[in-house]
Every structure is written in C-alpha cells, then in structure tokens.
Amino acid sequence: MAAACRPPTCHHLFSPCVPIKPGPGRCTPSLLPGGNRSLREMESGTGCVLRGSSERMENAAKRRLAANARERRRMQGLNTAFDRLRKVVPQWGQDKKLSKYETLQMALSYIMALTRILAEAERFSSEREWLSLHCEHFHGDSYHQYPAQKPAADSDPYAHRLFSYHPEHFQIAN
DNA sequence: TAGGCCATCTGGTCCT
DNA sequence: AGGACCAGATGGCCTA
C-alpha cells in the first residue's frame, strides 16, 4: 500500500461549497444592499455587518481547519496502533500486510488461542506434563513446510492450527 | 476496469 | 465552547 502519507486533498478544503447556514444575523455579501461600500465605510461602523460576517466565516474556517488537523492526527494515532498490533500478531507467510479488519480478526484469534493455552496449562498438574504435551511438535521431524509459505517458525502447522485465522470464520455478527 | 483498501474532509453528537 | 469520536462521502492507488 503506497498510499501511506498522502498530502491533504484539497478538493473541498474549506472551499466556497461549504454551506453557511442562513440564519438570524447572518447574510452573504451578495445579499447586502449597496454592494459598492467603500473600504472606509466598512471599517467605520456602517460596514460592521459585512465585516462581522466575514470574521465569523474566517473563524469558522479556522475552526474547521483545526478540526481537520485534529482528525488527521487522531486517525494517524489509530494507524500507529494498528501497525503496532500487526507487529505482535502472527502473519502466516503473508507478503501483503494485513488490512485493518484482518488485523483485528487475527488479534482476536490470537488472544483466544493464548487464552486456550493458559486454560490448558492450568488443567495439568505439573508443568512438565504440559510442556511435554505442547513441545513435541517442535522436534524437527514433525515440521511440515507449506510450499506457499515462508519457511519460518510462523509456518509451524501446530501454531498455524492454534492461531488459525480464516476470514470466512468472521462474519459480521448482528 | 471493477473492487478493495485507505486517507481525508465534513457535519453531527456526546462529553468535559 | 471546544475537543473527541463517529459515520458518510469522496477520490486516489493498487491488484486481479
């Protein structure tokens, strides 16, 4: 995904299309009578309606821009969190980075698998018993390489079974 | 080219 | 009042 850091698109960056709600005390310059007011007129009291309005618009624009920046920072923080999550979640030989949705689902399976392991561990009286049960697949002869996957520890079929993430298992529950 | 994923903008709502 | 959060809209990039 090369769309990592795109500059803000400006197609509607507080452009004139932003609707200014009509209301009491608000008017657009084009609706003002006497469109040819001089600068002096506007700076003296008589132009205060227009000036007040444009100041309000300016303030609104500033607030909008500030809100956009905050939202951008918020989303960047969220993405940083997603990246950190991707690093600790197993990625079975995936060349492509997990999407946000996949990352969440994988994290869910991962946590559930770890929980299961802990629960099993509690069931066995001695730690030795538990270790011998779970560590046997780490003997060399019980490794099976999946051709499509990286020849790494994360392609261990045992672990794969334990933390398996199958997108089709995660249907939107509602 | 369609579809998926993503970043950004925007307005609404809720909270402090 | 202002900030955080959210969801919808929009457009760009990438891949099958």
Side-chain angles (χ1 to χ4, degrees):
Chain A
M1 288 296 151
C5 189
R6 228 178 301 156
T9 49
C10 296
H11 39 272
H12 41 201
L13 185 65
F14 224 80
S15 55
C17 67
V18 172
I20 302 293
K21 287 180 191 131
R26 235 175 246 203
C27 60
T28 61
S30 61
L31 294 178
L32 280 176
N36 275 343
R37 286 172 188 276
S38 69
L39 205 63
R40 165 183 285 200
E41 222 179 359
M42 286 172 56
E43 282 173 352
S44 68
T46 54
C48 69
V49 175
L50 177 57
R51 193 179 54 181
S53 156
S54 75
E55 269 174 13
R56 267 195 297 274
M57 284 177 67
E58 229 172 84
N59 284 339
K62 276 181 189 165
R63 264 185 280 117
R64 223 322 119 200
L65 257 34
N68 290 350
R70 279 197 306 275
E71 178 66 7
R72 236 177 291 133
R73 276 197 301 274
R74 194 181 72 83
M75 293 309 294
Q76 278 160 10
L78 194 63
N79 289 336
T80 302
F82 265 107
D83 285 339
R84 290 175 64 189
L85 190 57
R86 275 186 196 103
K87 282 195 180 109
V88 298
V89 136
Q91 248 184 297
W92 312 112
Q94 287 248 14
D95 290 338
K96 235 176 62 182
K97 87 172 186 184
L98 294 176
S99 72
K100 291 177 179 180
Y101 176 76
E102 288 167 340
T103 304
L104 287 179
Q105 301 301 348
M106 180 57 90
L108 180 62
S109 327
Y110 192 39
I111 290 169
M112 285 169 75
L114 294 177
T115 305
R116 202 166 68 230
I117 289 175
L118 282 178
E120 274 181 28
E122 274 175 14
R123 252 189 279 132
F124 288 89
S125 51
S126 80
E127 188 180 316
R128 187 185 174 78
E129 209 180 337
W130 184 84
L131 280 175
S132 66
L133 176 77
H134 277 278
C135 293
E136 58 190 28
H137 12 261
F138 293 112
H139 299 159
D141 56 1
S142 56
Y143 268 93
H144 308 286
Q145 297 292 340
Y146 291 172
Q149 292 177 332
K150 277 189 288 188
D154 65 2
S155 61
D156 172 14
Y158 169 72
H160 203 279
R161 194 176 68 240
L162 209 55
F163 307 128
S164 60
Y165 161 62
H166 302 293
E168 66 273 20
H169 290 172
F170 300 101
Q171 314 226 327
I172 293 173
N174 52 0

